Amino acid sequence: MFIEIENIKYHVQIKGEGKPIICLHGFSENLSTWKYLELKGYKLILIDFIGHGKSDKPYSSEYYDLKVILNHINKLIKELGLNKYSMLGYSMGGRIALAYALSYENEITQLILESSSYGESDHINRVNRRRWDKELAKSIREKGIEWFDEYWSNLSIFESQRNLPENIRYEISERRLSNEAHALSNTLICTGQGNFPCFKEEIVNLTMPVLYVSGEYDEKYRKIGNEFQKLNINIQHKTISAVGHNTHVEKPNKFNKTVNEFLL
């Protein structure tokens, strides 16, 4: 289905029956990344972010601002008649889920973050990341989506995905190739880690149960997961063995088991 919020059409898919859980995908992905997600007793509400999947891809960068995204997601959820729900976010979707949970804390019953950052806390790292985001955004506009797919798939963070079956790698590539250059560029400039607020100090304010999931081979986000756990007693960190950054795609059965055990 499509739900229009302030002239922007969002693609939404609902799977299963039970308590609602909002699922937010990562950068250059779309809601089909949750194809193998199975959560017992939960209704999955899958949303394509603005600029991704079948949602609108406006050229104006104002729609890609974090405050606009959070506001639109909340209005979309209200259109579905929901007041209480859980939320799951992967990578960029996890950063946005964290920001959302801090803004709409009374609505979130449980929060699951997969391979997600709280934002760059070091000033020099933020400056360097902002520069990297801008350069990548420019390259995507100039070189196109096919170039981006090859570049992104060869990042070291996705090295473990090279061992996946050919059909799974094809699905990942197809999701990236379905994007448009201006939309990915706008996303990087507005909500990439270089411009994303740092919520490290606010994590202590989360009162709902939180699960952080990381992959064994993803050293950076394993360390971040450990930090999350130390920052708030409501957060538990689980590491899935023999996977990298995208645990729900690389080992869907293990990911499902880990999340189902948390949601019980």
Side-chain angles (χ1 to χ4, degrees):
M1 72 174 77
F2 289 88
I3 297 176
E4 186 170 322
I5 307 293
E6 297 177 357
N7 299 318
I8 300 295
K9 290 180 181 177
Y10 288 89
H11 180 225
V12 180
Q13 191 176 98
I14 298 176
K15 293 171 56 179
E17 296 291 336
K19 293 180 284 188
I21 181 166
I22 314 298
C23 303
L24 305 176
H25 62 77
F27 176 67
S28 78
E29 290 273 353
N30 60 51
L31 60 75
S32 69
T33 189
W34 304 114
K35 177 179 179 180
Y36 304 105
L37 181 64
E38 295 181 4
L39 303 179
K40 299 171 186 175
Y42 278 82
K43 175 168 61 178
L44 309 181
I45 298 168
L46 316 177
I47 301 172
D48 277 340
F49 277 122
I50 188 167
H52 290 74
K54 296 179 181 177
S55 289
D56 281 351
K57 301 175 177 65
Y59 281 88
S60 174
S61 62
E62 66 180 292
Y63 294 103
Y64 298 80
D65 180 81
L66 178 61
K67 290 181 180 179
V68 174
I69 290 172
L70 298 181
N71 178 257
H72 280 198
I73 291 173
N74 187 253
K75 287 184 175 179
L76 187 158
I77 291 169
K78 290 297 187 288
E79 284 286 323
L80 293 170
L82 303 177
N83 294 308
K84 291 283 187 179
Y85 43 89
S86 297
M87 183 169 278
L88 160 64
Y90 160 67
S91 199
M92 180 188 79
R95 291 202 313 273
I96 293 174
L98 173 62
Y100 186 94
L102 290 166
S103 297
Y104 301 97
E105 181 180 4
N106 293 332
E107 299 182 19
I108 305 284
T109 54
Q110 295 168 107
L111 178 65
I112 301 117
L113 306 174
E114 178 192 359
S115 307
S116 305
S117 168
Y118 47 66
E120 292 285 357
S121 58
D122 179 80
H123 174 70
I124 293 175
N125 287 345
R126 287 184 68 81
V127 171
N128 289 337
R129 184 58 188 246
R130 193 176 298 127
R131 184 182 299 117
W132 187 86
D133 288 344
K134 286 183 178 179
E135 289 175 354
L136 178 56
K138 181 181 178 184
S139 294
I140 294 171
R141 289 194 304 270
E142 292 177 349
K143 300 178 182 179
I145 292 300
E146 289 78 10
W147 172 86
F148 168 74
D149 176 48
E150 183 175 358
Y151 169 83
W152 201 249
S153 64
N154 282 304
L155 291 178
S156 59
I157 199 170
F158 299 121
E159 184 175 356
S160 56
Q161 292 185 11
R162 294 164 201 163
N163 298 319
L164 290 171
E166 185 177 352
N167 66 305
I168 303 298
R169 287 186 281 115
Y170 176 81
E171 289 174 1
I172 295 170
S173 179
E174 283 298 290
R175 286 196 288 272
R176 293 192 189 120
L177 291 170
S178 70
N179 287 289
E180 294 184 23
H182 73 275
L184 290 190
S185 294
N186 281 339
T187 301
L188 277 170
I189 297 300
C190 297
T191 52
Q193 292 203 55
N195 268 329
F196 201 84
C198 179
F199 292 113
K200 185 176 182 179
E201 301 299 325
E202 285 80 5
I203 288 173
V204 69
N205 298 323
L206 294 172
T207 58
M208 76 286 291
V210 181
L211 172 66
Y212 188 102
V213 181
S214 64
E216 178 188 2
Y217 302 149
D218 191 359
E219 182 179 358
K220 174 181 176 179
Y221 287 89
R222 272 196 297 106
K223 289 180 178 178
I224 291 174
N226 289 335
E227 285 188 55
F228 266 87
Q229 190 167 237
K230 291 175 183 176
L231 289 166
N232 190 316
I233 60 172
N234 294 313
I235 301 176
Q236 53 179 294
H237 175 208
K238 298 292 184 181
T239 298
I240 296 179
S241 61
V243 295
H245 190 63
N246 194 334
T247 67
H248 73 270
V249 167
E250 294 180 52
K251 294 286 184 183
N253 291 338
K254 287 186 177 180
F255 181 82
N256 290 338
K257 182 175 185 292
T258 300
V259 176
N260 275 306
E261 288 174 352
F262 167 75
L263 290 172
L264 286 176

